[in-house]
Amino acid sequence: MSNSPRIFDFAGKTLNLSESHVMGILNITPDSFSDGGELMSKNGDVNISRVLTRAEAMIKAGAAILDIGGESTRPGAKEVSSPEEISRVMPVVEAISRNFDAIISVDTSNPELINLCQKSGVGLINDVRALTRKGALEAVAESGLPVCLMHMQGSPDNMQDAPKYKNVVEEVTVFLEDRVKACNGAGIGNDRILVDPGFGFGKTLEHNLELLSRLADLQRLELPVLIGISRKRMIGLITGRREKDRLAGSIAAAVLGVMNGARIVRTHDVAESADALKVCNEILKIS
């Protein structure tokens, strides 16, 4: 994707992806690696008041997109049932849609949930399984919603057991090319597709660093690139910091990603990331 202006339509809300934008993370889960349980009540239900407070703070801090997830995909995580995921996500989608004007992304592989998103104010399906789950491709095609396709080797419960590649950048790129072709074949045009190399999803530290340093190679896909690197284990391995102490390392990685072509940065730390991306965007204007 070139640096010339490109307006991307998130189901009626648009972003100019000639510059970078922040996607704030709203994990409606008890077991996500960094913030699990923070938006849930002691009885395990979603705490809508807490969610709206967090969402408002993220929007004020500069998040253009809010990414809502009801299933943890951390290493070793088990799949949740479709009814459980829906019961977590849909009340949040509806509440945010009623109260705020931000673009809503739903982080899911679940075709039943995708179908419900169609008329609920959602602007993006963010799928770590790249629409490989049965029925997901058809659900997105029918919904008319845009989608972010992510690369993952294996599945969350086994992806970090022993990831191996001959050439991680080439293999990730080829996988994403194949998934884009599958989308095109189902009637999903490139104007509805973003891609994510999947940092930490079936990759060692060396694989992640190779992907980050060569992220510009994904430009051959001519699609907007989204990255999710916030607080991840790769940052901890480099810095020796615990999850919530990985801000500086996460910002450094995000900036490197943006300067190598990423246009959406998925993060827990919105205000700090937004400031960093403002600086990147000024550089992008003159580069």
Side-chain angles (χ1 to χ4, degrees), residues 3 18 259 263 280-287:
N3 285 333
S18 65
M259 298 313 294
R263 290 297 173 263
C280 291
N281 288 335
E282 291 304 308
I283 300 298
L284 290 170
K285 289 177 184 177
I286 62 174
S287 60

Side-chain angles (χ1 to χ4, degrees), residues 119-139:
K119 297 181 180 179
S120 302
V122 173
L124 176 69
I125 301 299
N126 183 18
D127 186 6
V128 300
R129 298 176 180 85
L131 303 184
T132 57
R133 183 175 282 178
K134 184 178 180 180
L137 182 63
E138 294 78 9

Side-chain angles (χ1 to χ4, degrees), residues 169-179 220:
V169 177
E170 181 65 17
E171 290 175 53
V172 167
T173 305
V174 168
F175 170 86
L176 292 172
E177 283 180 327
D178 288 344
R179 295 312 300 158
R220 85 185 202 202

